[in-house]
Amino acid sequence: MLRIESMHVDLAGHTVLRHVDLQLEAGQTVAVVGRNGAGKTTLLRSIMGLAPARTGRLLLDGEDITRKPAHRRAADGFGYAPEDRVLLPTLSVMQNIVLPCEVLRVPRHEIRQRIDAVLVSLPQLEPMLARSGAALSGGQGKIVALARALMVGVRFVLLDEPFQGLAPALARQYGDALRALRVSHPQLCVIVTESNASLLDAVQSRTLHIERGAVREETGGAVRASEPEPSASHHG
Ligand SMILES: Nc1ncnc2c1ncn2[C@@H]1O[C@H](COP(=O)(O)OP(=O)(O)O)[C@@H](O)[C@H]1O
Ligand SMILES: [Mg+2]
C-alpha cells in the first residue's frame, strides 16, 4: 500500500535517514523503536511530506507521492499526532478534532460517521467533547490528539511517542485504545514510535528498529537488515 524506496533524508546538511526501504500494509500496527535522535520523528515527517527526501521514492498504491505537499497527503488519508500535540485552547474538544476535516472539506455526514467510528475505540472521548481544549490532563490530551489524527487518517495514522509521559494506568488505557482500533478500523495502518519498547504494551503486529537513521525489521526476535549491506550499495 505505502512503499518507501531507498529514501535518504537530510536535515541541515546531515543525513538523518539513510536508505530506508519499507512496505507498509493496511491493517498493520507497526512499532518504530529507537533511541532519542535515531530518526523516528524524521521518518514520520518524511511520510507526511514535511521532511523532503533527498533521494528515494514514496509510493502510495503505486503512485509516486514523493513530491506531493503535506496538505495534500492529508486528503490521501494520512493522520499525524506529533510529539508536541497542540490542541487549540479556545476551541472545544469537538471543534479541535473536527477542524482538520473541515479544512479538507469532508462532508458533514461523513464527519459524523468518522466521529462515531472513533468513539467505538475511544469511548472515554465522549464526555470530553464539549469541554475546552485547555481543560484536559496530559493523558486526556493524548486521547484527543489520537482522535484528531484518526478523523483525517482514514488509511494511516502516525503517532509520535504517544506513550511518553503517561502514567502506567493511562498507558494501559492508551494501549487498549490502539488494540480496539484493530476492530473499529480494521484496514487502518497505525505507525507508532517509541524510544522505550516496553512502554508499547504489545500493541504492535510488527516492529522496526531505527538506529542512526537506518531502519531494520525485527523478525521473530532476530533483527534483520532491511536494506542492502554497505558493500552491496554505496551511497554518498
Ligand atoms: N531541524 C533539524 N535540523 C538538523 N538536524 C535535526 C533537525 N531535527 C532533527 N535533527 C537531527 O536528526 C536526528 C534525528 O532526529 P529525530 O528524527 O528527531 O529523532 P528521534 O525522533 O528518533 O528522537 C538527530 O540527530 C537530530 O539531532
Ligand atoms: Mg522524536
Side-chain angles (χ1 to χ4, degrees):
M1 178 168 69
L2 183 70
R3 190 166 173 72
I4 302 175
E5 286 182 352
S6 55
M7 189 174 67
H8 289 245
V9 174
D10 293 348
L11 293 175
H14 297 279
T15 300
V16 172
L17 294 180
R18 49 197 92 233
H19 31 117
V20 177
D21 277 299
L22 272 184
Q23 173 92 27
L24 299 171
E25 303 290 354
Q28 295 182 334
T29 299
V30 183
V32 178
V33 177
R35 65 180 65 176
N36 285 338
K40 301 180 297 296
T41 297
T42 306
L43 178 64
L44 299 190
R45 288 176 54 81
S46 68
I47 292 172
M48 292 303 295
L50 297 166
R54 171 164 58 82
T55 62
R57 297 198 302 169
L58 204 58
L59 301 171
L60 179 61
D61 304 326
E63 183 203 347
D64 189 339
I65 61 165
T66 317
R67 307 280 163 226
K68 197 168 179 178
H71 65 274
R72 290 186 44 225
R73 298 275 172 94
D76 286 336
F78 289 87
Y80 177 37
E83 221 173 338
D84 54 349
R85 69 205 154 67
V86 178
L87 299 178
L88 298 172
T90 56
L91 300 184
S92 71
V93 167
M94 176 68 106
Q95 289 168 326
N96 265 284
I97 70 170
V98 162
L99 188 64
C101 286
E102 288 175 341
V103 171
L104 289 168
R105 299 181 191 283
V106 176
R108 191 161 287 193
H109 69 273
E110 171 73 24
I111 292 177
R112 189 65 242 176
Q113 281 174 9
R114 291 188 191 181
I115 292 172
D116 289 344
V118 167
L119 286 172
V120 172
S121 290
L122 306 177
Q124 63 269 59
L125 182 68
E126 182 125 48
M128 291 184 227
L129 287 172
R131 291 167 59 181
S132 151
L136 301 175
S137 70
Q140 290 170 332
K142 297 232 182 181
I143 291 292
V144 175
L146 171 58
R148 183 173 56 181
L150 284 168
M151 289 296 289
V152 289
V154 294
R155 299 189 67 189
F156 298 89
V157 160
L158 285 58
L159 308 171
D160 203 0
E161 301 204 38
F163 289 91
Q164 280 301 319
L166 284 183
L170 291 173
R172 269 194 303 280
Q173 280 177 28
Y174 195 93
D176 288 343
L178 293 187
R179 274 184 289 271
L181 283 181
R182 296 279 51 107
V183 180
S184 62
H185 298 65
Q187 291 301 306
L188 186 69
C189 178
V190 180
I191 305 162
V192 49
T193 69
E194 199 44 80
S195 51
N196 178 353
S198 65
L199 291 181
L200 284 165
D201 198 19
V203 293
Q204 71 269 42
S205 55
R206 177 181 176 194
T207 303
L208 304 171
H209 292 268
I210 183 165
E211 194 175 332
R212 295 170 57 113
V215 177
R216 286 173 169 71
E217 181 97 36
E218 182 177 296
T219 50
V223 175
R224 174 176 68 80
S226 68
E227 76 260 15
E229 291 301 312
S231 59
S233 140
H234 181 75
H235 291 269

